[in-house]
Each structure stands twice: as C-alpha cells, then as structure tokens.
Amino acid sequence: MSYRHRTLAIAVTVATVFSTLISALFGSGLLGATVEESSRGIFGSESTLIVPASKAFSIWGLIFTGFIVYTIWMWVNKTAKRYDDLAILAAVSIALNGVWLIVVQLKFTWISVPVIVAIWISLWLLRRRLTAIRRDYGTKNNWLDVLAVDLVFGIYLGWITVATAANISAALAASGVEPTNFISYLVTIVMLVMVLAVGVFFVISHHSIAPALTMVWAFVWIAVERFTGDPYSLLIGLLALLSAAAALLVSAVHLLPGQFVSRITRG
C-alpha cells in the first residue's frame, strides 16, 4: 500500500468514525433532539410538504453501512488504488454529514442549507470522476468495486438530493412560510421536478441508476405522508407518485438491452 493511498484510507476512516459517532449521538436523539424534533420541529413532516414519512429515514442505516463497507474496502481491496482520486471527495461528503447534524442541533437552519449543498456537490464531483474511471476500467469482474463505490455513493447521492430539497423547504418554514400557502406549494412542486430531473440526468449521462432508485423510495414515502399525514395534499401526493413512476421507468429502460430499447422506440 502506497503512502498516498494509506493517507487517504486514514482520512476516509476518520470521516466515517466521526459521522457515525455524531449520528449515533445526535441523529438518534441520544444527546439533544432528533433531526425531526430539532429547530422547533421544522424538519418534521408537518412543517413542509416534501419531507417523507418517518419510515423513509430507515435508509440511513443502509447508507451508514455503506460508509463502513467503503472504508473497509479502501484498506483491503487491491483495486482500491484506482479510485484514490475519489477518496477525498468521499471523505468530505461523509464528514459533512456529521457537520450538518451538529449545525441542525445548534438550530442554525439556514446555515444547514449550504452544508447540505456542499455534500451534494462533493457527491456530484465524485460521480463525475467515477464515470471517467468506469470509462477507463469498466466494471467487468469488479463487482466489489461497484458495490463499495457505485452503489454506496449512488444511494447517498440520491438521498442527499431529496434531503437538499427538504432542507431548503425547512429553512423557508423557519422563516415563517406555512406549508399550506401558495409559496410552499410552488416551492415543493419545483423541488420535486428538479429532484426527478437530477435522477434522470445521472441515469442518462452517468449510467447510474442507484440515485434514481433511491429517489423512487423517497418519492413514494413523500406521497404516503401527504396522503395520510398532516398537512394532507392530494396534489403533492400525486405528483410524488408520478415522479416515482417516471424515475422507475427511466431506470428500467436503462437496464434493458440496447437492441430491445431500439426496437421499442422505432415501433
């Protein structure tokens, strides 16, 4: 193992330990309030129209498991050195998740917005570099690389995209925007469309379906919350379901063999 790779592996390890520890202490409510309860509850599903039902947040368990898998992979996998250019971005995105939790606990709602945007940018840059690596090396016989990098950070990217939209809506709620007024509806509709567009972009441009499929999960739980929770919104619930269907359709078409898709589009 080279000195550079060892240094990067240490950075990833520190970031993972830090973020996991902060999540265990604050995100779970062991110390302080949970995310839903912090900042006077503005991150809860009753304060905005785009926050999904509470069961959707179980995906964090999968995401943190992914962080641990990636960290172990950095230390033991011989092909990991191919991905050294991604490691700093990975470490930054993981560590910033812990920073975001601290900022939220301190009730700095608007400051949490640039923090989560920074997480998204780091993941987007990671995905761009990963696409270039895939172009050079491909994925054949590298299923472990795909699992530890593509899948882990694809799921993370998809969820953070939705979370960014929810965070912006929460910041507006903190500024006094009620979830049932026109501005809130308009912002929610724009956010849902933008999240869907991002998911489709990564499928088409980067051949990555993990972000889009993660968004399907979020869209479905947003719909559930709007149909069964408070405030009730038929419009947002239906739009979330349509977004889920669109993301699922684009992902499914991407998985089909090229010749089959060609025959369908030609009629």
Side-chain angles (χ1 to χ4, degrees):
M1 182 182 292
S2 68
Y3 174 78
R4 178 171 183 262
H5 183 77
R6 184 182 296 107
T7 302
L8 292 170
I10 292 173
V12 169
T13 303
V14 171
T16 299
V17 171
F18 167 73
S19 187
T20 303
L21 182 61
I22 293 299
S23 178
L25 294 176
F26 295 116
S28 64
L30 186 62
L31 290 179
T34 63
V35 172
E36 291 82 1
E37 297 169 345
S38 61
S39 299
R40 300 178 300 281
I42 62 163
F43 287 96
S45 58
E46 295 183 355
S47 297
T48 71
L49 294 171
I50 201 171
V51 174
S54 59
K55 291 183 179 179
F57 294 92
S58 62
I59 198 172
W60 275 114
L62 181 61
I63 292 172
F64 274 98
T65 300
F67 293 164
I68 295 170
V69 168
Y70 175 72
T71 301
I72 295 172
W73 173 85
M74 279 288 292
W75 285 102
V76 303
N77 196 277
K78 293 181 179 179
T79 61
K81 61 183 180 181
R82 295 179 184 173
Y83 304 88
D84 279 356
D85 288 343
L86 307 179
I88 287 296
L89 291 170
V92 168
S93 69
I94 295 170
L96 282 175
N97 182 65
V99 173
W100 184 87
L101 286 169
I102 294 173
V103 169
V104 169
Q105 283 293 320
L106 294 174
K107 299 181 175 60
F108 296 151
T109 308
W110 274 106
I111 295 178
S112 71
V113 174
V115 174
I116 202 167
V117 169
I119 299 174
W120 189 90
I121 291 173
S122 63
L123 290 170
W124 170 61
L125 293 173
L126 186 153
R127 182 62 248 185
R128 284 186 61 188
R129 293 188 183 182
L130 181 56
T131 298
I133 292 172
R134 285 282 168 264
R135 197 161 44 239
D136 294 335
Y137 294 101
T139 59
K140 188 176 180 180
N141 299 324
N142 286 324
W143 64 269
L144 188 58
D145 296 1
V146 174
L147 172 64
V149 186
D150 298 65
L151 186 59
V152 167
F153 290 98
I155 293 173
Y156 190 23
L157 173 59
W159 184 253
I160 287 297
T161 302
V162 178
T164 300
N167 201 154
I168 293 171
S169 296
L172 291 174
S175 299
V177 178
E178 295 293 330
T180 54
N181 69 19
F182 175 76
I183 294 177
S184 182
Y185 268 88
L186 181 62
V187 169
T188 302
I189 292 170
V190 171
M191 290 294 183
L192 286 173
V193 172
M194 289 180 64
V195 168
L196 175 61
V198 170
V200 171
F201 168 77
F202 281 109
V203 171
I204 295 175
S205 299
H206 295 276
H207 308 291
S208 176
I209 65 170
L213 293 179
T214 305
M215 291 172 189
V216 171
W217 167 268
F219 287 144
V220 169
W221 285 111
I222 290 171
V224 168
E225 185 63 24
R226 295 288 62 86
F227 289 146
T228 63
D230 183 32
Y232 170 83
S233 176
L234 178 63
L235 173 62
I236 300 302
L238 289 175
L239 183 58
L241 285 182
L242 286 174
S243 299
L248 191 60
L249 178 62
V250 171
S251 300
V253 170
H254 181 73
L255 289 173
L256 292 173
Q259 292 181 348
F260 182 71
V261 174
S262 179
R263 286 198 297 271
I264 291 177
T265 54
R266 289 176 183 174

